[in-house]
């Protein structure tokens, strides 16, 4: 399969129709021609975030990912072309706040071709250096504040380009229960699926769950381990590791951590979907097929999910009581603690209670790793791919 579909074709176009009058001067001859000048050979750039475009090389990547769910891509960086960087620039929001360098979208657009060429060279030579994100806060409905990380524009362009490459691979793998931050899907699609499930099935109760502090709790080691299921290009993995570990600036202090993906970063949504694809979607799909009795419908939008129970079922210590009852609320809270532990956040003991001792936290994390290794092969010493 040719993954270098973006290469230029031959300059001349040979005519297909030939003269058919022997030695006489033909009445009409189809002439050859050269390639059109100007922008005729360029791929149209994406002008808004609502539009999507993919180069022929990324189409080939998507086809290869669809043909085999176990193939690992060893060469992906050459798909980060100047054209893809230009598309990534136009896909960004025009009025977004600048990062620590103070460069806006309009200011970066001056001499855009030269800047993108320089960025392309630095990425491919390994000289690209990510800058810390600027931390700001926005109020939440419950009175608390949500931390938002604002990246420099050049980092946004590079992240958007890498996100396009990851999207070409993982959109084939993602399951139908995932609706958040995916092309062609959104909040209304998730609500439509919820509405259809409630009115077409005999639903007894609905469990609405949220992973507490998910974006701040994602383990960097587990993100890279999940990515290695499909990506074997170390250059792409190093770029992602740079963005995860570069840290944030809050005032005059730079903070770095071994876990968490900055909310507001362009690369964070698809990394969150990849993380939850292995940490929740595959597990939920296998659980409802092998252990649950009756119909269980799961809908996930980023780190929010809805589980609907149709008819009576009992699995894993959960029965069919309504979530509005005290017992149902206790079980929902237990589900929240256990799910948070699976995401690398606050750990839980066997009864779902929060653990404070270091030994209890280690035991909970070991159980999470053991459970993960059973269904996706990500446990210690396992093969670097998902044996589905």
């Amino acid at each position: 399969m040719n993954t270098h579909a973006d290469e230029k074709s031959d300059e001349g176009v040979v005519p297909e129709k030939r003269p058919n009058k022997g030695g006489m001067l033909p009445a009409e001859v189809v002439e050859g021609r050269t390639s059109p000048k100007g922008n005729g050979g360029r791929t149209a750039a994406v002008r808004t975030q609502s539009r999507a475009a993919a180069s022929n090389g990324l189409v080939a990547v998507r086809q290869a990912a669809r043909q085999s769910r176990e193939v690992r891509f060893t060469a992906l960086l050459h798909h980060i072309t100047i054209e893809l960087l230009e598309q990534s620039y136009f896909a960004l929001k025009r009025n977004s706040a600048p990062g620590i360098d103070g460069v806006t979208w309009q200011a970066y657009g001056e001499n855009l071709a030269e800047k993108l060429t320089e960025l392309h060279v630095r990425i491919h030579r390994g000289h690209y250096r990510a800058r810390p994100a600027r931390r700001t806060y926005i109020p939440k409905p419950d009175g608390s504040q949500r931390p938002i990380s604002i990246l420099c524009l050049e980092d946004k362009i590079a992240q958007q380009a890498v996100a396009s490459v990851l999207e070409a691979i993982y959109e084939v793998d993602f399951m139908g229960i995932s609706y958040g931050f995916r092309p062609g899907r959104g909040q209304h699609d998730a609500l439509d699926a919820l509405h259809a499930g409630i009115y077409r099935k005999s639903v007894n109760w609905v469990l609405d769950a949220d992973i507490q502090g998910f974006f701040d709790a994602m383990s960097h080691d587990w993100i890279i381990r999940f990515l290695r299921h499909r990506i074997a290009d170390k250059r792409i993995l190093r770029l992602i590791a740079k963005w995860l570990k570069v840290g944030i600036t809050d005032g005059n202090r730079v903070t770095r951590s071994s876990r968490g993906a900055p909310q507001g970063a362009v690369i964070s949504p698809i990394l969150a979907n990849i993380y939850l694809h292995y940490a929740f979607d595959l597990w939920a799909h296998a659980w409802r097929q092998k252990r649950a009795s009756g119909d269980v419908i799961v809908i996930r939008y980023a780190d929010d999910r809805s589980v609907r129970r149709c008819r009576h079922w009992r699995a894993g210590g959960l029965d069919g009581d309504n979530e509005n009852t005290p017992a149902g609320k206790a079980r929902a809270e237990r589900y929240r603690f256990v799910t948070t532990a699976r995401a690398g956040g606050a750990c839980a003991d066997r009864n779902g209670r929060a653990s404070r001792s270091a030994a209890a936290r280690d035991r909970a994390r070991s159980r999470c790793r053991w459970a993960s290794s059973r269904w996706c092969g990500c446990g210690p010493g396992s093969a670097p791919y998902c044996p589905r």
Side-chain angles (χ1 to χ4, degrees):
M1 181 177 295
N2 182 17
T3 59
H4 302 280
D6 288 329
E7 299 291 338
K8 293 183 178 180
S9 61
D10 295 335
E11 178 66 20
V13 178
V14 181
E16 295 183 357
K17 182 178 178 181
R18 298 294 183 181
N20 55 5
K21 293 189 178 182
M24 300 177 60
L25 183 63
E28 179 181 0
V29 178
V30 176
E31 298 180 351
R33 59 183 173 84
T34 59
S35 299
K37 300 295 184 180
N39 298 331
R42 294 178 56 188
T43 303
V46 177
R47 297 295 175 178
T48 63
Q49 288 183 324
S50 60
R51 300 178 184 175
S55 65
N56 293 332
L58 293 184
V59 172
V61 170
R62 185 180 294 108
Q63 293 175 352
R66 184 178 293 110
Q67 290 176 2
S68 176
R69 297 296 180 91
E70 297 183 356
V71 67
R72 301 179 69 221
F73 294 87
T74 58
L76 291 173
L77 190 65
H78 69 276
H79 292 291
I80 309 297
T81 61
I82 298 179
E83 291 76 12
L84 182 58
L85 293 175
E86 183 181 3
Q87 294 175 14
S88 302
Y89 168 76
F90 285 109
L92 299 177
K93 294 181 179 180
R94 271 70 165 163
N95 299 324
S96 59
I100 60 175
D101 59 353
V103 178
T104 62
W105 187 89
Q106 291 79 6
Y108 195 88
E110 300 176 1
N111 300 323
L112 180 62
E114 297 179 2
K115 295 178 181 178
L116 292 181
T117 301
E118 182 184 359
L119 175 61
H120 177 265
V121 171
R122 284 189 281 120
I123 290 176
H124 283 263
R125 290 183 178 179
H127 298 165
Y128 167 77
R129 296 292 182 268
R131 299 184 182 183
R134 180 168 63 88
R135 172 64 58 87
T136 186
Y137 298 89
I138 59 176
K140 298 175 65 175
D142 59 359
S144 60
Q145 290 186 328
R146 182 189 302 275
I148 298 295
S149 299
I150 302 177
L151 279 71
C152 297
L153 191 78
E154 199 168 66
D155 295 331
K156 292 180 182 179
I157 296 173
Q159 289 189 15
Q160 180 66 45
V162 174
S164 300
V165 176
L166 296 181
E167 183 181 292
I169 299 172
Y170 283 98
E171 275 300 315
V172 180
D173 294 348
F174 288 156
M175 303 185 66
I177 66 175
S178 173
Y179 288 88
F181 307 112
R182 295 182 59 185
R185 293 192 171 204
Q187 301 94 324
H188 296 289
D189 299 297
L191 291 175
D192 289 342
L194 180 65
H195 179 272
I198 290 176
Y199 280 90
R200 295 179 184 178
K201 297 287 186 178
S202 178
V203 177
N204 289 356
W205 58 268
V206 178
L207 173 64
D208 184 16
D210 173 74
I211 302 179
Q212 195 171 17
F214 170 70
F215 281 92
D216 296 331
M218 285 194 299
S219 171
H220 295 171
D221 294 336
W222 279 98
I223 293 176
I224 299 300
R225 186 175 296 185
F226 288 147
L227 287 170
R228 285 175 180 167
H229 286 352
R230 287 294 240 166
I231 299 175
D233 192 336
K234 295 182 179 179
R235 299 168 298 178
I236 294 292
L237 295 177
R238 280 197 296 265
L239 277 176
I240 297 175
K242 285 180 181 180
W243 294 322
L244 292 174
K245 298 178 180 179
V246 69
I248 58 174
T249 59
D250 196 348
N252 296 326
R253 183 180 61 180
V254 178
T255 304
R256 294 180 175 86
S257 175
S258 60
R259 60 179 62 248
Q263 297 190 54
V266 180
I267 198 71
S268 294
I270 191 168
L271 291 182
N273 275 333
I274 294 172
Y275 193 105
L276 290 173
H277 171 73
Y278 292 105
F280 178 79
D281 294 355
L282 294 179
W283 167 79
H285 181 67
W287 172 80
R288 67 180 177 180
Q289 283 189 333
K290 298 179 180 179
R291 299 192 61 184
S293 60
D295 295 334
V296 179
I297 305 173
V298 182
I299 297 175
R300 180 179 66 81
Y301 190 92
D303 58 335
D304 300 311
R305 78 283 313 278
S306 174
V307 181
R308 287 162 289 164
R309 194 210 77 172
C310 309
R311 300 190 300 273
H312 183 76
W313 60 273
R314 182 179 180 87
L318 298 176
D319 58 24
D321 291 341
N322 194 307
E323 187 188 357
N324 293 327
T325 64
K329 291 182 179 180
R331 273 184 290 273
E333 190 65 20
R334 174 185 174 184
Y335 176 81
R336 183 188 301 271
F337 276 118
V338 174
T339 310
T340 305
R342 291 181 61 83
C347 294
D349 59 13
R350 293 184 181 273
N351 297 322
R353 295 185 296 268
S355 302
R356 294 186 178 181
S357 65
R361 288 196 299 269
D362 293 340
R363 287 195 299 269
R365 288 169 181 166
S366 298
R367 287 196 300 273
C368 293
R369 297 190 189 101
W370 174 81
S372 300
S373 64
R374 295 187 64 188
W375 46 262
C376 75
C378 295
S382 61
Y385 58 88
C386 187
R388 286 175 282 167

